Amino acid sequence: HSPLPMWLFDFETLQFTHVNEAACSIYGYTPEEYATMTLRDIRPVADIPFMEEMILTSLQTNRYAIPNIVRHQKKNGEIIQVKVKTTYVTFEGKKVRLASAVDVTAEMEIQDKLLETNSRLQLASEIASLRYWTNDLVTSEIQWSDEIYKIFEVDPKMFTPTLDLVLERIHPDDRLNFDPNYYNNFKDNTINETERRIITGSGVKWLLVRQYLIKDKNDKPAKLEGIVLDITKRKMHEQETLQRMQQIESQNKAL
């Protein structure tokens, strides 16, 4: 009943042995179709050689390491980008892999858009929809689009974002690791990404923060700009899936 697509598959043959309802409804295949398919059938053709090479290496080293983000292909041909988590389980007396996937296509499209425009978003409506922010490192002035005020659940007429006020709203556990000057290690022309929790009037929220460093003519840090995404639902799904996988692993060990 997980809202995330989940599959059981044989790690050597890559054959699917069982799928959940979300894997069928989201990817467009029936359980009967999955029964005749392998992992190759939900991957773009161009990505299959890399996937097979990765699996061969995993079999040789007994370590299964997958990229942070991979591409999946639905029955209708649509290609999506997903974060995949896997674990070994025992199903019908055989050791197989249990995998789940989180669709991050929309997040990646926003990141690509930010890169393509070199982080210079011009239209006010576009800036607002992307939850855009800037931090002038010279004057310490922080500017938020209207959407970020909504995420933090504060009134822009009553709240002026400063580093100290923003820090107060970061979850205490994440606040300890907060370093306002970590941008000094940013590489040129790259997006830097962090996940943090904030405390709002309605409770705890998970945010994905992507930021881009702008330097002055002397190559010194001058400004940060980027976007904020509310990923609370996705994190809740991930935590739920992780807990279920841990329960399954515990049950397998007990057996």
Side-chain angles (χ1 to χ4, degrees):
H1 300 293
S2 171
L4 299 178
M6 302 181 75
W7 305 264
L8 288 176
F9 65 94
D10 185 301
F11 193 51
E12 294 185 359
T13 66
L14 306 185
Q15 188 81 28
F16 291 117
T17 60
H18 199 68
V19 299
N20 72 345
E21 183 178 340
C24 296
S25 61
I26 293 175
Y27 282 71
Y29 294 103
T30 65
E32 293 75 20
E33 288 174 316
Y34 271 119
T36 65
M37 296 165 55
T38 70
L39 282 182
R40 300 178 184 88
D41 296 307
I42 62 169
R43 298 294 296 274
V45 174
D47 296 357
I48 293 177
F50 175 75
M51 180 192 72
E52 293 179 334
E53 179 182 351
M54 175 196 68
I55 291 176
L56 178 61
T57 301
S58 299
L59 289 171
Q60 293 173 343
T61 62
N62 201 30
R63 292 184 58 190
Y64 185 42
I66 59 177
N68 184 39
I69 295 177
V70 299
R71 299 196 304 169
H72 278 184
Q73 184 166 325
K74 299 181 180 181
K75 184 177 181 179
N76 63 6
E78 178 187 357
I79 294 177
I80 59 176
Q81 301 190 68
V82 296
K83 286 187 176 181
V84 178
K85 290 187 178 181
T86 70
T87 186
Y88 275 116
V89 298
T90 300
F91 179 69
E92 296 182 346
K94 185 175 182 179
K95 196 174 184 180
V96 296
R97 297 291 297 191
L98 171 63
S100 66
V102 177
D103 188 345
V104 295
T105 306
E107 296 175 16
M108 296 304 296
E109 287 177 350
I110 291 176
Q111 176 172 318
D112 290 342
K113 195 167 188 178
L114 187 61
L115 283 170
E116 288 171 4
T117 59
N118 194 26
S119 179
R120 301 287 188 175
L121 303 178
Q122 301 298 324
L123 298 177
S125 59
E126 187 177 26
I127 288 174
S129 67
L130 292 185
R131 300 160 177 86
Y132 179 77
W133 61 268
T134 65
N135 182 6
D136 190 314
L137 302 176
V138 179
T139 65
S140 298
E141 181 182 4
I142 298 176
Q143 294 185 349
W144 286 355
S145 68
D146 292 342
E147 290 298 316
I148 299 184
Y149 287 100
K150 293 179 182 178
I151 291 177
F152 276 76
E153 300 177 17
V154 293
D155 186 345
K157 296 179 180 179
M158 305 293 294
F159 181 85
T160 300
T162 64
L163 188 59
D164 289 339
L165 290 178
V166 173
L167 184 59
E168 288 179 1
R169 284 161 174 78
I170 294 178
H171 190 283
D173 292 344
D174 294 342
R175 193 182 305 161
L176 295 175
N177 300 321
F178 184 80
D179 180 3
N181 296 314
Y182 82 103
Y183 58 80
N184 289 327
N185 298 318
F186 282 14
K187 295 180 180 179
D188 291 341
N189 300 317
T190 59
I191 296 292
N192 290 269
E193 178 179 301
T194 58
E195 292 183 359
R196 295 192 183 279
R197 288 165 293 176
I198 62 170
I199 307 295
T200 69
S202 62
V204 177
K205 292 182 180 179
W206 277 94
L207 302 184
L208 177 67
V209 182
R210 292 194 175 110
Q211 44 200 336
Y212 183 90
L213 177 65
I214 299 174
K215 295 182 178 180
D216 62 20
K217 60 182 180 181
N218 297 317
D219 202 36
K220 293 183 178 181
K223 187 177 183 180
L224 286 172
E225 58 182 12
I227 57 174
V228 171
L229 299 174
D230 185 344
I231 58 170
T232 305
K233 290 184 179 179
R234 190 246 286 177
K235 294 297 291 188
M236 292 176 64
H237 290 330
E238 287 181 355
Q239 291 171 357
E240 177 187 348
T241 301
L242 179 59
Q243 290 173 354
R244 290 186 178 182
M245 288 183 172
Q246 290 173 340
Q247 291 174 354
I248 292 172
E249 287 180 327
S250 297
Q251 292 171 356
N252 288 335
K253 290 180 180 178
L255 294 174

